[in-house]
Amino acid sequence: MSEHVAIQTETFLPYMRDVTKCEQSLQELNLMWRVIEASAKMNCPSEAKTILPTMAATRTGFSRLERELVVSLVQEKVRNVLTEIGTKAQYVIDIVVRNLFERTADVGFLATDRELCNFVAGITDDTDAIRYRLREYRNKYTVYDEIMLLDTEGNVLVQIDPATPLEHSADPLIAETINSDGYVETFRFSDLRPGKERALIYSRRMQHPQTGAVVGILCLCFHFEEEMAGIFSSHRDAEARSNMLLLDADNRVIASADKLWIPVGTEVPVNRDGNAALMLFCGREYLVRTVSSDGYQGYPGPAGWQGQVMIPVEVSFSGVISDALSKLSPDIAEGLLSHAHSFCPPLYDIMTAAKTIQRIVWNGQVMTAGQRGEMLKLKTILDQISETGNRSNELFAQSIHDLYQTVLVSGMRDAEFTTSLLVDLLDRNLYERSDDCRWWALTPELRTALAQPQQDEETVGKMTNILSYINGLYTVYTRIFVYDRDGRIVASTGDGIDAIVGSRIDEDSLKQVLSLRTQQQYHVSPFAPTSLYDGKGTYIYHAAIRDLENEAVVVGGIGIVFDSTPEFSNMLGSGISGKKNMKAYYIDRNARIISTTDDARTVGDTLEIDPALLAIANGGRASQVTVHDGEYAIVACSVSSGYREFKVSDGYQEDIIAVVFESFGAVQGAGSQTDSRQYLLETDPTITDGSEYATFFSDSNLFAISAAHVVEAVPYSAVLPTSMGARADQIGVLGLQRDDNRKEFIWVFDLGQMMRGTRSAVSGSSQVMIVREGEHTIGLLVDELHAVPQFTPSQIMHTPFAMQGASMLVTQVIKANNGQLLIQAIDVARLFALLIDGQIPVPQEMAEAVAAQAAAASRADGVGTVELLAA
């Protein structure tokens, strides 16, 4: 969820009140651990010698945590903000470039329009008819606020905007356009648009239809201000904490979401490298992300244009409070948390530290279990350790919760914004398709040809040439075809023309086209496989072709086959670029896939998704944490709401939902994480004749072993795996350092596998308990440590199931919390009786061989992670 950036903690810490409080609490706890250690050395040095090393490790660990925990919290918060504003900056420039790419195609096509060329060349002179034709074009392509035809001297021949009448222009773009083979893109003040400080104009020279001589130019004036206002209003953050900008090559603002805040024309600081540095602007410090475009289908966009988002640092970390964690099921919340090492390393570090502190306190209590007399002095120290350890765990729990929430909410918001971008890309692209089919239906040659009772070979050839010319300019279509009133295709582009020409379109589409009443109406076939697209699914856009003399008479229609497979795939791919764990989909309201980046699914499949997400209103978006394909994932979606009049007021209804899944790791088996807060034990200070038990979790159940048999617990990372064990539950060896500096090797067994028959899932909470019975010592893999409480004989009862089999390990049940909590007590004698079958004790020679083999495997496989705190 985060990017790699260098961050100066001191710069941002003053703006993060929650992190500052955490830092203060850490400093207080660090001092407490120092006091406890000093007390132990002064009051009971001999009794405390066994736990002084672990206390020293605790103190050292806290000194480290005091530095590293705060750094981690600050870094994650800053990275999340930079990621979020970076995604939005990318969106601004990408949307603009994709939109303007369509303009370059429009001006190239319209500049060759036969009626317009005849007029500019002086072959025809009906100005009103030409103005009507240009306004019809503007009615289809509503992104333009002015269309003009000029001669080579700059005289205005015709324009459609009555608010700014113009007779002549001296703009240098006229000469530049006349001398250019392609389009000319101009963004500055122009006397062609006298009412604007800057105009975005696309111009192309026009040639004489017979001689090819340059006779004038066409100018399409893009409604830039209206377009940018639409982008900003749709996608600026609801709290208006940040400002979205479009910059030119000189880092000057050419469009601002809030012009009173950052006016157009202002030069602003930029951050193209995504550095985590504060930037000063007008006496205020900002986090900034600046993004350039990679271009679209060969079109680079206006030179130097950049998208940028700026957010004041004092509001960067104080967004809307979310309760995302509280909405998660415990299984998903804990399961996702088990993958913290991959999606949020700082979070994993805190969790590791918390587990290590818990183990240190647990070990200290085990070491002094049953001790009396002088050891009671140590008991007082241990009580202080326990109390301070609990305070530490509470702090860790809160830190984990806050950071987890920060990361989760940031990821969900980023995923939602990504889907918003994806569905916007689709609506904007398909808007152009609805324009194209309606405009091309007005082509005079097509209208004249289809009005004839029969089309001879020469007429069909002319029609095919016209369609081929159009298709050559508009490569997003695999086929453009025209058909008569009976639905028979008379001319077409694309592959397999012989099979297509003479065939008929489907009855429903023909019926819909014949019922279209105006030139503004169109019909889109449902997304479905069609022979017109090699049997694949796509949309086909239709418009009625009307008699040139009587527009009330429909003489046929035009169909344009959208190249949906690569075009939709390109949209999805660009939207999730750089997000390696994210998969994207376009689906309909029935969850049928229209396009996907997921190799495991194909177009037409049904996507497994919460039905509630399919029912979101148009323009809405939402996100959840779920399980998808056996992995924990964020799922986000946005529902299409149309663009300009498309799907808004033109009568066309086709809801598309953009969906992304961001995966974080495989679903963990039961027992990988346990919420120990559900198993808090009520302590009774009056108990003096009780027996201590070491309690722990396995398979989400609470178990106990007499503390007299427990030596200590060590992290599972200390286990050396080996394949030399004779039993399936024999999972590795552990080397224990003894007082005489001799290393004793013991076997480690999987307690969960012994009890249920299947291997336990290992997580960051997994521990190995060292258990001793007589001269035998083993290690037991458990899911998590719990506590070392005292229980009276009256709380312990024998289970009636214990005698049903020799392999039954649980012979007693402990009634805790006034009988509200039952703890299963494992019979140590039975446990060792089950295991001692020639494998225990391990001969020293064999143990050393196993350890050598395991160490080699560890070096090769990277087994044996060093924890944050050494026990």
Side-chain angles (χ1 to χ4, degrees):
M1 292 183 184
S2 58
E3 301 175 27
H4 179 72
V5 285
I7 296 173
Q8 295 296 321
T9 305
E10 296 77 10
T11 302
F12 298 98
L13 191 56
Y15 305 102
M16 302 177 182
R17 293 182 179 179
D18 54 341
V19 182
T20 302
K21 290 179 181 179
C22 177
E23 182 185 39
Q24 293 171 348
S25 299
L26 275 173
Q27 290 172 347
E28 293 173 3
L29 284 171
N30 191 0
L31 179 60
M32 284 297 299
W33 284 114
R34 290 176 181 273
V35 170
I36 292 171
E37 185 181 7
S39 297
K41 288 180 178 179
M42 288 186 295
N43 297 323
C44 49
S46 59
E47 295 87 348
K49 66 179 181 180
T50 55
I51 64 167
L52 282 175
T54 60
M55 293 180 66
T58 306
R59 175 177 49 77
T60 303
F62 258 94
S63 295
R64 236 165 111 193
L65 275 176
E66 193 174 340
R67 298 187 303 269
E68 297 183 3
L69 177 56
V70 173
V71 170
S72 297
L73 289 167
V74 170
Q75 286 184 341
E76 200 61 34
K77 285 177 175 285
V78 173
R79 286 170 179 162
N80 288 338
V81 172
L82 287 173
T83 298
E84 182 176 343
I85 65 175
T87 300
K88 293 185 176 184
Q90 186 74 61
Y91 163 79
V92 171
I93 190 63
D94 282 351
I95 283 292
V96 169
V97 168
R98 284 171 176 264
N99 193 318
L100 299 187
F101 164 76
E102 299 284 352
R103 315 292 64 92
T104 66
D106 288 350
V107 72
F109 174 71
L110 194 59
T112 61
D113 182 90
R114 184 172 295 274
E115 287 191 54
L116 300 184
C117 288
N118 282 339
F119 175 78
V120 174
I123 298 174
T124 60
D125 60 0
D126 191 341
T127 303
D128 290 338
I130 295 302
R131 182 177 294 108
Y132 175 78
R133 183 163 180 78
L134 292 180
R135 284 180 174 162
E136 279 298 305
Y137 188 85
R138 164 64 175 80
N139 290 340
K140 311 296 185 293
Y141 299 85
T142 56
V143 294
Y144 301 113
D145 59 1
E146 172 70 292
I147 304 175
M148 313 173 78
L149 299 178
L150 296 87
D151 64 19
T152 56
E153 301 300 320
N155 297 308
V156 177
L157 303 178
V158 64
Q159 65 180 119
I160 65 171
D161 182 9
T164 56
L166 199 65
E167 295 182 357
H168 179 81
S169 170
D171 196 302
L173 76 80
I174 297 172
E176 183 182 356
T177 304
I178 290 173
N179 294 321
S180 175
D181 290 333
Y183 69 89
V184 172
E185 186 177 60
T186 305
F187 183 69
R188 52 170 168 73
F189 173 77
S190 172
D191 62 6
L192 289 166
R193 301 295 286 146
K196 294 188 173 185
E197 291 184 11
R198 291 179 175 181
L200 182 55
I201 302 172
Y202 289 83
S203 55
R204 183 79 183 252
R205 68 187 186 188
M206 303 177 72
Q207 295 172 285
H208 194 289
Q210 279 86 47
T211 66
V214 177
V215 291
I217 69 169
L218 164 73
C219 292
L220 295 179
C221 301
F222 183 65
H223 205 328
F224 177 73
E225 295 81 8
E226 181 183 81
E227 176 65 16
M228 295 309 302
I231 292 174
F232 294 148
S233 65
S234 297
H235 300 287
R236 189 184 180 195
D237 63 297
E239 303 88 23
R241 295 182 304 133
S242 62
N243 200 359
M244 302 177 81
L245 307 169
L246 185 66
L247 311 181
D248 63 15
D250 297 322
N251 303 330
R252 292 192 178 277
V253 177
I254 53 180
S256 173
D258 190 334
K259 296 177 183 177
L260 294 178
W261 181 357
I262 304 179
V264 172
T266 306
E267 185 176 354
V268 293
V270 297
N271 181 18
R272 299 186 185 92
D273 298 326
N275 295 324
L278 293 182
M279 297 191 167
L280 194 64
F281 173 70
C282 291
R284 198 176 187 186
E285 291 183 307
Y286 289 82
L287 280 170
V288 179
R289 283 297 305 270
T290 314
V291 181
S292 300
S293 173
D294 293 329
Y296 179 64
Q297 295 195 8
Y299 169 66
W305 280 21
Q306 308 159 93
Q308 177 159 305
V309 175
M310 301 173 65
I311 183 168
V313 65
E314 67 267 21
V315 299
S316 296
F317 312 106
S318 58
V320 176
I321 301 299
S322 171
D323 59 346
L325 275 182
S326 65
K327 297 178 181 178
L328 299 186
S329 70
D331 288 345
I332 290 181
E334 294 296 337
L336 178 57
L337 197 57
S338 69
H339 291 285
H341 62 281
S342 60
F343 75 83
C344 183
L347 181 57
Y348 176 72
D349 289 344
I350 299 172
M351 293 165 56
T352 303
K355 295 302 179 186
T356 305
I357 295 297
Q358 181 188 22
R359 184 176 65 252
I360 289 171
V361 175
W362 192 91
N363 280 341
Q365 293 171 324
V366 164
M367 288 177 189
T368 57
Q371 301 290 344
R372 298 294 184 265
E374 289 297 313
M375 291 300 290
L376 287 177
K377 294 180 181 179
L378 185 57
K379 279 285 188 180
T380 304
I381 300 295
L382 286 172
D383 288 343
Q384 293 176 354
I385 291 177
S386 180
E387 180 183 347
T388 307
N390 289 336
R391 286 184 58 193
S392 302
N393 286 335
E394 289 174 7
L395 174 61
F396 288 147
Q398 189 59 48
S399 299
I400 290 170
H401 180 277
D402 292 346
L403 184 53
Y404 191 8
Q405 182 113 298
T406 297
V407 173
L408 196 61
V409 171
S410 176
M412 294 170 75
R413 288 175 61 174
D414 186 63
E416 284 185 26
F417 193 83
T418 298
T419 59
S420 179
L421 165 63
L422 291 175
V423 82
D424 202 11
L425 286 175
L426 180 138
D427 277 345
R428 286 167 175 271
N429 190 299
L430 297 186
Y431 156 83
E432 304 285 349
R433 315 293 67 93
S434 69
D435 296 343
D436 291 345
C437 70
R438 290 177 293 167
W439 174 249
W440 296 335
L442 298 180
T443 305
E445 292 84 350
L446 300 181
R447 298 171 69 176
T448 300
L450 287 179
Q452 301 172 8
Q454 296 290 331
Q455 291 79 35
D456 57 28
E457 187 173 338
E458 181 181 358
T459 300
V460 170
K462 290 181 178 179
M463 296 171 71
T464 302
N465 289 337
I466 292 172
L467 299 180
S468 297
Y469 173 73
I470 296 173
N471 210 163
L473 286 173
Y474 292 81
T475 57
V476 296
Y477 305 112
T478 58
R479 186 183 309 281
I480 304 176
F481 59 94
V482 293
Y483 47 91
D484 59 21
R485 273 191 61 86
D486 297 324
R488 183 178 64 87
I489 297 175
V490 297
S492 173
T493 66
D495 298 331
I497 293 178
D498 292 342
I500 297 299
V501 173
S503 64
R504 296 181 182 275
I505 67 170
D506 63 278
E507 289 295 329
D508 181 67
S509 291
L510 179 62
K511 178 180 177 181
Q512 295 293 335
V513 170
L514 293 177
S515 66
L516 297 176
R517 292 291 172 254
T518 70
Q519 296 176 349
Q520 288 298 101
Q521 295 178 314
Y522 63 96
H523 167 69
V524 187
S525 66
F527 189 92
T530 171
S531 59
L532 296 170
Y533 192 52
D534 295 332
K536 297 178 292 185
T538 191
Y539 293 111
I540 301 178
Y541 287 72
H542 295 264
I545 296 178
R546 302 176 183 277
D547 190 292
L548 197 59
E549 303 300 328
N550 184 359
E551 289 191 357
V553 177
V554 175
V555 295
I558 185 169
I560 57 179
V561 182
F562 181 59
D563 196 3
S564 63
T565 300
E567 292 299 320
F568 285 157
S569 180
N570 178 282
M571 295 178 206
L572 293 176
S574 65
I576 64 172
S577 177
K579 305 175 188 291
K580 63 180 180 179
N581 295 322
M582 189 174 279
K583 296 176 182 177
Y585 310 79
Y586 285 131
I587 62 173
D588 61 18
R589 287 285 192 184
N590 298 315
R592 184 175 56 118
I593 295 175
I594 290 173
S595 182
T596 177
T597 63
D598 184 357
D599 294 335
R601 291 173 173 82
T602 59
V603 173
D605 290 348
T606 299
L607 181 66
E608 301 81 12
I609 190 172
D610 184 350
L613 297 179
L614 299 175
I616 295 173
N618 292 94
R621 62 192 192 191
S623 57
Q624 300 174 351
V625 178
T626 186
V627 173
H628 179 67
D629 289 346
E631 294 190 332
Y632 300 109
I634 287 175
V635 55
C637 67
S638 292
V639 183
S640 61
S641 59
Y643 170 64
R644 304 185 77 87
E645 69 279 359
F646 177 67
K647 292 186 182 179
V648 176
S649 59
D650 62 3
Y652 177 47
Q653 181 73 28
E654 171 75 354
D655 292 344
I656 297 297
I657 305 174
V659 180
V660 298
F661 284 94
E662 184 174 10
S663 299
F664 299 105
V667 171
Q668 300 291 335
S672 62
Q673 296 282 326
T674 307
D675 186 0
S676 58
R677 290 172 296 180
Q678 299 177 8
Y679 297 90
L680 288 176
L681 296 176
E682 299 172 4
T683 58
D684 186 353
T686 63
I687 295 178
T688 58
D689 61 340
S691 300
E692 285 98 345
Y693 280 80
T695 58
F696 57 91
F697 293 99
S698 182
D699 283 348
S700 298
N701 294 311
L702 191 57
F703 290 89
I705 288 181
S706 173
H709 293 280
V710 179
V711 180
E712 64 175 322
V714 299
Y716 174 75
S717 58
V719 176
L720 300 174
T722 178
S723 59
M724 296 178 66
R727 299 170 55 99
D729 49 28
Q730 210 164 348
I731 60 174
V733 294
L734 189 63
L736 303 179
Q737 196 72 38
R738 292 308 173 204
D739 293 340
D740 57 0
N741 291 325
R742 181 177 58 87
K743 203 156 195 176
E744 176 187 358
F745 291 93
I746 64 171
W747 282 111
V748 178
F749 295 86
D750 183 346
L751 179 61
Q753 186 168 11
M754 292 171 62
M755 302 188 73
R756 70 171 180 273
T758 57
R759 182 63 66 92
S760 297
V762 175
S763 72
S765 300
S766 298
Q767 307 284 335
V768 175
M769 291 171 46
I770 312 302
V771 182
R772 180 170 293 159
E773 168 72 354
E775 62 180 11
H776 303 308
T777 305
I778 63 168
L780 285 181
L781 171 64
V782 301
D783 291 338
E784 190 173 353
L785 303 176
H786 180 243
V788 187
Q790 283 191 20
F791 297 110
T792 62
S794 63
Q795 292 179 278
I796 302 171
M797 66 177 185
H798 287 275
T799 171
F801 308 107
M803 301 307 294
Q804 291 187 0
S807 63
M808 296 294 290
L809 300 180
V810 177
T811 59
Q812 295 176 322
V813 175
I814 301 171
K815 296 182 293 182
N817 297 353
N818 296 317
Q820 298 301 307
L821 176 63
L822 298 180
I823 305 172
Q824 303 176 67
I826 291 178
D827 189 317
V828 176
R830 285 198 175 206
L831 173 66
F832 277 80
L834 175 67
L835 296 178
I836 299 174
D837 58 358
Q839 299 302 316
I840 302 175
V842 181
Q844 185 68 16
E845 295 79 9
M846 178 183 177
E848 291 174 353
V850 169
Q853 178 204 53
S858 172
R859 288 191 296 271
D861 300 335
V863 177
T865 304
V866 179
E867 291 208 72
L868 178 64
L869 299 176

